Amino acid sequence: LIEENKNKMLFGRLPDSTSVLRRLAFGSCSSQDKPLGYWDTVASLLPDVTILTGDNVYAACEEEMCDGLRMAYMSLANHPSFIGAKGRLPMIETMNDQDYGAEDCDEENPFKDAAKWLFL
């Protein structure tokens, strides 16, 4: 199931190192349980790069398998607006506390490796 999720998370190609970036989009704090129509808007703007600065989903990772977090990423990956955008938008993502599966957590989270693997 995880490998299936990874296959669905392919994004648009990043610009090469000689490209001049003229249009950037930034985003964060995206709840997979809410309407995600803003992805349609961002995709229509055709940014050179979309930078997601964390809290890409909201879910708990309270056990080694991180089922809640896995389901949150799968929900995002299967959302029609995100599906349409991800193939067109080159994206760079970073992790914040919610991406590790807990409110205000950090590298001390005992499940951080599982959360990071799901994120990647």
Side-chain angles (χ1 to χ4, degrees), residues 41-61:
T41 303
V42 173
S44 73
L45 297 173
L46 299 173
D48 296 319
V49 175
T50 302
I51 302 166
L52 302 180
T53 60
D55 291 349
N56 302 303
V57 296
Y58 286 89
C61 181

Side-chain angles (χ1 to χ4, degrees), residues 3-67:
E3 193 60 38
E4 187 176 303
N5 189 27
K6 285 181 162 297
N7 290 335
K8 292 180 183 177
M9 296 299 282
L10 299 175
F11 299 103
R13 185 182 183 103
L14 289 171
D16 66 48
S17 62
T18 62
S19 296
V20 175
L21 302 179
R22 300 183 190 284
R23 189 175 298 187
L24 303 175
F26 291 87
S28 68
C29 304
S30 175
S31 175
Q32 72 283 353
D33 296 327
K34 298 196 184 229
L36 300 175
Y38 56 84
W39 281 112
D40 300 323
T41 303
V42 173
S44 73
L45 297 173
L46 299 173
D48 296 319
V49 175
T50 302
I51 302 166
L52 302 180
T53 60
D55 291 349
N56 302 303
V57 296
Y58 286 89
C61 181
E62 299 170 335
E63 83 295 322
E64 190 173 341
M65 294 301 293
C66 293
D67 286 336

Side-chain angles (χ1 to χ4, degrees), residues 2 5 10 17-18 28 31-32 49 51 53 69-72 76 92 99 102-103 106 110-111 113 118 120:
I2 300 299
N5 189 27
L10 299 175
S17 62
T18 62
S28 68
S31 175
Q32 72 283 353
V49 175
I51 302 166
T53 60
L69 193 56
R70 179 179 54 80
M71 295 306 293
L76 175 64
I92 299 171
D99 303 302
E103 183 72 34
D106 58 18
F111 308 117
D113 291 334
L118 289 168
L120 296 173

